[in-house]
Amino acid sequence: MRAPYRVGLLGLGHVGGALARRLIEDGERVASAAGRPIVLDAIAVARPEGRTAPAPLLPADAVLTRPHMDAIVELIGGIEPALTYICRALQSGLEVITANKQLIAARGPSLARLGPLRFEASVASAIPIVETLAETLAADRITSLMGILNGTTNSILDAMAEGADYADALADAQRRGLAEADPSADVDAHDPAAKLAILGMLAFRRRVDPSQIERVGIRGLDQRQLVEARERGLVVKLMAAARATGGASIEADVRPRLIPEGASLARVAGAMNAIAVDAAYAGTLELHGPGAGPDAAASAVLADLIRAARGTPPSAGELLASLADQPPATITPLGLQTPYPAAE
């Protein structure tokens, strides 16, 4: 078996902890899949005092400069200091695996030009949509995509359809750990807009500025709207959707929409995610799975680690790198009727 593939981990929160457990408790299966052992060599956390960890706890600078390291896994989130750490790692020749949707959406193309960048976990957690778009469908022509990309709002909308008001449904989601104390990234649709920007770049091979995607969140919905919609055979879902319009333009937005209850996306419940892709030759493909949770996200991070250890090219990163010199695509909203009527 080949020499171990040595990894430094930045961040030991819920996802980082789940990844560390998989690398240790499932080490033999991971090594078999990768063709070599994957070794967690060092971990950086913001406050190491009194913490125990399965590898040495070091400052981030020390992890980034540790000798014989092969890759850095960034699970800090946000823009800084993650951006600085990722740039340093890539510029020093390390592979980078990240789940940071905000950073990939905003800076992915320029970062991917610096070195091998992998980000399967940045969209829809365990659903393998990133490499599917970049590699499996690379020779196809994708005309549109849509999906439920935020499990928090999906759970809240389910509760409201059962009769809970927005405030109570949000509070319950916060108690269950599905929503942050400040839920604005989810309920104001910033989170699914970032994910849609990533998917749009991969699907349409155009650079997308996430700030240009129109978004309408769920704060303005009344519980009665959802109950009445259900009585009419409709389900309200926060839908992220985009389609290619030719040239340098893309239509895209995120907003609550009314979906017929017989449609497969209407049956996506709780924290689950789903993505439908329309391709010229492959046809319509739908992927469903857990869109949140430490184990689901760690599964996607581990898949990228295994690809890196095997020497598989970072297809999605290379695709983003090819977009770095493009001007951003012109983004216009899909509007109130397509792909489904807006629930507003």
Side-chain angles (χ1 to χ4, degrees), residues 286-321:
E286 288 194 10
L287 294 86
H288 294 236
D295 288 334
S299 175
V301 174
L302 183 57
D304 271 343
L305 266 176
I306 289 170
R307 293 186 191 102
R310 293 174 64 180
T312 303
S315 301
E318 290 174 353
L319 196 164
L320 288 197

Side-chain angles (χ1 to χ4, degrees), residues 132 136-137 139-142 277-286:
T132 295
T136 309
L137 298 175
D140 214 321
R141 287 196 294 275
I142 297 171
V277 177
D278 285 324
Y281 299 101
T284 299
L285 309 174
E286 288 194 10

